[in-house]
């Protein structure tokens, strides 16, 4: 009996995890399939692009500037111990464009957007507005889920480009104003060490992050229940799962692109 109880204790959460993955996969496939089929709702798409992209610019921009400045300061301190302070421009631009720009930008957008999507769709679910859409013969996946996913995938590369530029600018400002670097030499070194692969991988990460952010926000909101408490749980789960998927996909893409 002890062995059977142990197997049950191990197997139950494993089966629950696989069931959750199956439900999420089915939801994602349904959303992508319906998104590609008419009718389309361009007004909904434009509204979501505004909400996700334009309204996220301030928090993404401030995060990038502060992070780039802090990174340049830390690289300078660490490099000074080995007489390698001149590596600040190269390491800063590589670190910001390859990792910090897309990852921190994705995390900030996830904290703002995934929670909002989960709260909005969760409220619609518990107040039966989604059921009303079905009654009116409006597909919730085409009206609610599809525009959010497509908008997030489209605007996240733009947000990450802004994040990368402002992150590099933050490092440049601190290095030239506080650390004594020559502005022209700093910018020339930055341009010399920045490669096309760095930018491309950053944009690919951005698109993947945008997909996961919108997917998790819509999934948890769509399947929420239990009144206000259920909406709160859906919001929390959307943010946490978005963070995990962003960090996991970042690792996978980094290993694939730069692992050789």
């Amino acid at each position: 009996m002890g062995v059977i109880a142990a197997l049950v204790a191990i197997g139950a959460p494993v089966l629950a995890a696989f069931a959750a993955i199956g439900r999420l996969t089915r939801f994602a496939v349904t959303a992508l399939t319906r998104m590609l089929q008419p009718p389309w709702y361009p007004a909904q798409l434009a509204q979501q692009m505004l909400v996700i992209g334009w309204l996220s610019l301030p928090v993404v921009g401030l995060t990038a500037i502060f992070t780039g400045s802090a990174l340049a300061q830390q690289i300078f301190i660490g490099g000074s111990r080995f007489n390698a302070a001149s590596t600040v421009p190269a390491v800063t631009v590589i670190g910001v464009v390859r990792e910090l720009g897309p990852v921190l930008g994705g995390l900030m957008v996830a904290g703002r957007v995934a929670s909002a999507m989960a709260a909005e769709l969760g409220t619609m679910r518990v107040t039966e507005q989604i059921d009303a859409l079905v009654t009116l013969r409006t597909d919730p996946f085409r009206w609610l889920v599809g525009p959010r996913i497509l908008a997030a995938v489209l605007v996240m590369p733009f947000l990450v480009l802004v994040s990368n530029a402002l992150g590099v600018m933050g490092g440049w400002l601190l290095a030239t104003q506080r650390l004594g670097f020559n502005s022209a030499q700093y910018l020339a070194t930055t341009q010399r060490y920045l490669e096309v692969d760095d930018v491309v991988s950053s944009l690919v990460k951005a698109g993947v992050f945008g997909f996961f952010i919108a997917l998790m926000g819509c999934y948890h909101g769509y399947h929420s229940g239990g009144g206000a408490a259920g909406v709160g749980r859906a919001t929390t789960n959307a943010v946490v799962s978005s963070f995990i998927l962003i960090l996991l996909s970042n690792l996978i893409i980094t290993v694939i692109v730069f692992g050789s």
Side-chain angles (χ1 to χ4, degrees):
M1 294 298 295
V3 175
I4 295 177
L7 291 176
V8 170
I10 296 174
V14 172
L15 291 176
F18 277 110
I21 294 173
R23 288 192 298 269
L24 176 60
T25 303
R26 185 173 63 180
F27 183 87
V29 171
T30 302
L32 292 174
T33 303
R34 303 278 181 84
M35 187 172 62
L36 299 176
Q37 299 173 353
W40 296 292
Y41 301 97
Q44 282 287 95
L45 176 62
Q47 180 185 3
Q48 293 303 318
M49 292 179 69
L50 175 66
V51 171
I52 299 171
W54 180 255
L55 298 183
S56 296
L57 274 176
V59 65
V60 171
L62 289 175
T63 301
I65 291 176
F66 297 151
T67 302
S69 301
L71 179 63
Q73 179 68 62
Q74 293 291 358
I75 294 171
F76 180 81
I77 294 173
S80 298
R81 300 175 183 176
F82 309 101
N83 296 321
S86 60
T87 61
V88 169
V91 178
T92 298
V93 69
I94 292 174
V96 167
V97 174
R98 286 189 181 183
E99 291 295 323
L100 295 179
V103 172
L104 290 180
L107 293 177
M108 297 305 295
V109 174
R112 179 185 173 275
V113 172
S115 58
M117 289 183 180
E120 184 179 0
L121 269 64
T123 302
M124 295 181 68
R125 170 61 70 186
V126 299
T127 58
E128 300 182 350
Q129 294 181 52
I130 294 180
D131 297 330
L133 286 175
V134 176
T135 303
L136 295 172
R137 302 186 66 179
T138 300
D139 187 353
F141 281 92
R142 292 190 178 95
W143 176 259
L144 297 175
V145 179
R148 285 168 169 80
I149 292 178
L150 182 57
V153 173
L154 291 177
V155 302
M156 272 302 296
F158 169 73
L159 288 174
V160 167
L161 278 178
V162 174
S163 177
N164 292 342
L166 292 179
V168 173
M169 187 185 75
W172 167 78
L173 282 173
L174 186 130
T176 55
Q177 301 301 317
R178 189 175 187 275
L179 304 180
F181 280 79
N182 178 270
S183 177
Q185 292 179 352
Y186 188 100
L187 294 176
T189 304
T190 297
Q191 184 178 3
R192 184 165 65 251
Y193 282 93
L194 179 63
E195 298 181 353
V196 175
D197 289 346
D198 301 332
V199 179
V200 172
S201 68
S202 181
L203 298 181
V204 170
K205 289 180 179 181
V208 174
F209 296 167
F211 173 76
F212 284 135
I213 290 169
L215 176 65
M216 301 315 296
C218 293
Y219 173 78
H220 289 287
Y222 191 88
H223 292 289
S224 65
V231 175
R233 287 192 298 270
T235 302
T236 301
N237 293 336
V239 174
V240 173
S241 57
S242 297
F243 282 8
I244 293 174
L245 288 176
I246 286 173
L247 296 175
L248 176 61
S249 60
N250 174 69
L251 173 61
I252 294 173
I253 295 173
T254 299
V255 170
I256 292 175
V257 176
F258 301 107
S260 58

